[in-house]
Structures are given as structure tokens and as C-alpha cells.
């Protein structure tokens, strides 16, 4: 993922959590994003994808606010600072590894304008 002002596609990245346990899955992602992007202030998630809905999560001394959406569109928004927002395809935990890798690759291709639903359908990942 490059942090450039040019955004050609729908998604800046993709994430494939391996379970619905947010407290287990999110810290590793926050660490990786912080290393790549700098401090993460907020993360917006689909409420239907997770068993527990935390309001915030402390990771390595930083508090990250979690916003919830009822839209359930397989997207995640990551906010760095006050204005930088990155859009991620969020794959369902039950995705097959081959299909998940194909979906992540498709999501970040230059010029990709496919929605999350279109990417999931194209790679054979069923929506639940």
C-alpha cells in the first residue's frame, strides 16, 4: 500500500481477518497499519462482521476509536490523523485462502473500480 495523493481505485488495501473475534484480530492490523501509515486514529467496521462491538482498542499505548456501520458492505475505513482516510476491502473470515488472495489482489490493482460485492462475486467468495 502506497501513501500517495493519487488514488486510482476503489480500495487502498485489503484485510482478511481469520475470525469474528475483534480483540484478537484487530491489534495486529493496527500495528501493521501504524508501521506503514503512521498513527491510526479511527477504524470504521461493518457491525455484522464481528461478535463484539468495542468502542475503542488500546494497542501499544495508542487508543484507536472504532466506528460501526450497519451497511455491511465488506469495507473498512482507516483514518490517520484528522483527514487522511483509507478504504480497505474487508474479506469475510470464512473465505477460502485461494479466493481471498485473488480478492485482495483484485482490490488493490491500479484503476480497479469494482465494489466489494463485485470483487467477492468475481472471486467466488459467498456473502452471508
Amino acid at each position: 500500500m502506497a501513501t500517495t495523493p493519487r488514488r486510482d481505485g476503489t480500495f487502498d488495501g485489503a484485510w482478511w481477518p481469520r475470525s469474528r473475534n475483534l480483540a484478537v484480530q484487530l491489534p495486529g492490523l493496527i500495528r501493521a497499519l501504524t508501521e506503514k501509515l503512521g498513527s491510526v486514529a479511527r477504524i470504521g467496521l461493518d457491525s455484522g462482521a464481528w461478535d463484539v462491538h468495542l468502542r475503542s482498542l488500546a494497542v501499544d499505548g495508542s487508543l484507536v476509536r472504532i466506528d460501526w456501520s450497519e451497511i455491511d458492505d465488506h469495507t473498512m475505513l482507516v483514518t490517520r490523523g484528522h483527514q487522511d482516510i483509507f478504504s480497505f476491502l474487508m474479506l469475510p473470515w470464512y473465505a477460502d485462502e485461494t479466493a481471498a488472495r485473488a480478492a485482495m489482489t483484485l482490490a488493490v490493482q491500479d484503476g480497479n473500480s469494482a465494489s466489494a460485492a463485485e470483487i467477492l462475486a468475481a472471486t467466488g467468495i459467498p456473502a452471508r
Side-chain angles (χ1 to χ4, degrees):
M1 184 173 92
T3 55
T4 65
R6 181 176 155 228
R7 303 254 172 94
D8 288 347
T10 302
F11 296 104
D12 300 301
W15 182 40
W16 180 30
R18 300 309 198 286
S19 77
R20 290 175 53 96
N21 185 333
L22 186 65
V24 170
Q25 298 297 309
L26 197 54
L29 174 69
I30 291 172
R31 286 184 187 102
L33 290 172
T34 298
E35 183 177 307
K36 190 77 169 168
L37 301 174
S39 182
V40 173
R42 301 168 83 124
I43 294 184
L45 297 169
D46 293 334
S47 60
W50 303 99
D51 290 332
V52 175
H53 301 123
L54 304 172
R55 292 183 185 263
S56 61
L57 185 66
V59 177
D60 300 334
S62 294
L63 191 64
V64 177
R65 182 176 169 168
I66 303 170
D67 298 321
W68 296 101
S69 170
E70 298 292 329
I71 296 172
D72 197 24
D73 62 356
H74 294 281
T75 63
M76 174 179 69
L77 297 177
V78 175
T79 305
R80 173 183 69 179
H82 296 291
Q83 297 178 5
D84 292 335
I85 298 175
F86 299 87
S87 178
F88 284 73
L89 169 67
M90 194 182 88
L91 297 165
W93 64 270
Y94 55 80
D96 167 84
E97 183 173 352
T98 301
R101 292 192 186 284
M104 289 187 287
T105 299
L106 181 59
V108 297
Q109 284 181 344
D110 285 341
N112 170 51
S113 61
S115 69
E118 291 168 333
I119 292 171
L120 294 180
T123 56
I125 300 172
R128 290 187 180 169

